[in-house]
Amino acid sequence: MSNPVLVAEGLCKAYDGVDRITVLDGLDLTVEAGDSVAVAGVSGVGKSTLLHLLGGLDRPDAGLVIFQGESLGGFDAARLAEYRNRHVGFVFQFHHLLPEFTALENVMVPLRIGGNEAEGADRARFLLDRLGLGARLQHRPSQLSGGEQQRVAVARALAVEPTLVLADEPTGNLDPGTGLAVFETLRELQEEQPFALVLATHSESLARTCGRVMRMRAGKLETMGENAARDYFDGVAG
């Protein structure tokens, strides 16, 4: 019997403005340990909103996000913060590194927050070395290239050995070659530590490395087979 890491059931989310905009409308998703799920869709369709809900950064208007059998809806602010720090790694398009910290110190931030700084220092160094930054530990973000900065962000996301990694257009600011190299290393690390990965992306090359490719439209997710995925990305490129 399967034991999902994360289940989204009937997620609904809307935003009020001049008009009320429904972004998610009864969305369902199940993610197992070691799964890799790429979520494609046009800009503004709700991919980032979905990741925010899965990561406990926001709450749905209706529906449930269930992590290892427990609904996030029952978590208070402290429990949500613990969930985000101990179980979820975030990788964003904009890496959000602290400019006054070195690469090593940036990776250590979630470990310090979780009280695991002493035990985690070796892991932080290991991750940076695996990501090709073993000689750049003491460099600050301004001294690193864009690709190097994103590698630091990936290392930071994996520092606490998360159960779930949420990546929102993680290579959107990088050239295609550099972006694919960063993501391939992330996938190699996933094989060693079978965290679940949910990736929001416009990139066919990144999506095709994942076990499932899903399209978001009309507030829901639909699985795309190989032919449908190829046609979708060909249409986007065109």
Side-chain angles (χ1 to χ4, degrees), residues 56 59 72 74-84:
R59 293 185 184 269
L72 300 191
F75 290 7
D76 60 16
R79 186 81 187 280
L80 270 178
E82 180 185 15
Y83 164 70
R84 290 191 297 265

Side-chain angles (χ1 to χ4, degrees), residues 87-109:
H87 297 290
V88 185
F90 295 95
V91 186
F92 299 104
Q93 179 176 352
F94 301 98
H95 35 72
H96 302 301
L97 300 181
L98 297 174
E100 68 275 18
F101 283 11
T102 65
L104 181 62
E105 289 168 338
N106 267 283
V107 176
M108 292 292 294
V109 166

Side-chain angles (χ1 to χ4, degrees), residues 39-71:
V39 178
V42 299
S43 296
V45 76
K47 301 186 299 295
S48 295
T49 296
L50 172 62
L51 296 189
H52 290 172
L53 297 182
L54 299 181
L57 296 173
D58 197 2
R59 293 185 184 269
D61 298 330
L64 299 174
V65 176
I66 302 169
F67 174 73
Q68 295 183 335
E70 292 188 88
S71 172

Side-chain angles (χ1 to χ4, degrees), residues 19-226:
D19 298 304
R20 185 169 177 80
I21 300 174
T22 297
V23 180
L24 305 182
D25 187 18
L27 180 145
D28 297 320
L29 176 66
T30 298
V31 185
E32 308 276 349
D35 268 358
S36 54
V37 182
V39 178
V42 299
S43 296
V45 76
K47 301 186 299 295
S48 295
T49 296
L50 172 62
L51 296 189
H52 290 172
L53 297 182
L54 299 181
L57 296 173
D58 197 2
R59 293 185 184 269
D61 298 330
L64 299 174
V65 176
I66 302 169
F67 174 73
Q68 295 183 335
E70 292 188 88
S71 172
L72 300 191
F75 290 7
D76 60 16
R79 186 81 187 280
L80 270 178
E82 180 185 15
Y83 164 70
R84 290 191 297 265
N85 178 254
R86 295 186 60 182
H87 297 290
V88 185
F90 295 95
V91 186
F92 299 104
Q93 179 176 352
F94 301 98
H95 35 72
H96 302 301
L97 300 181
L98 297 174
E100 68 275 18
F101 283 11
T102 65
L104 181 62
E105 289 168 338
N106 267 283
V107 176
M108 292 292 294
V109 166
L111 295 163
R112 288 175 174 171
I113 293 172
N116 298 317
E117 181 175 3
E119 301 83 6
D122 287 343
R123 175 164 175 79
R125 292 188 180 92
F126 162 77
L127 288 169
L128 287 167
D129 185 61
R130 280 296 306 276
L131 287 157
L133 295 174
R136 312 283 276 171
L137 302 183
Q138 301 306 318
H139 288 67
R140 289 181 169 80
S142 62
Q143 299 170 305
L144 301 173
S145 69
E148 289 172 333
Q149 291 178 48
Q150 194 63 311
R151 289 174 189 269
V152 174
V154 169
R156 180 182 59 191
L158 300 180
V160 298
E161 299 186 65
T163 308
L164 172 69
V165 172
L166 303 173
D168 192 357
E169 297 289 356
T171 63
N173 277 336
L174 306 178
D175 67 82
T178 300
L180 185 58
V182 170
F183 191 72
E184 284 176 344
T185 305
L186 174 62
R187 295 284 281 123
E188 289 171 4
L189 289 165
Q190 186 188 22
E191 292 179 3
E192 300 169 17
Q193 176 198 327
F195 52 81
L197 171 66
V198 181
L199 162 74
T201 186
H202 290 294
S203 168
E204 180 179 10
S205 58
L206 265 60
R208 287 192 177 279
T209 72
C210 294
R212 274 187 288 163
V213 181
M214 307 190 77
R215 180 180 182 181
M216 181 179 288
R217 60 178 173 180
K220 293 180 173 65
L221 284 174
E222 57 186 39
T223 299
M224 291 194 291
E226 183 176 349

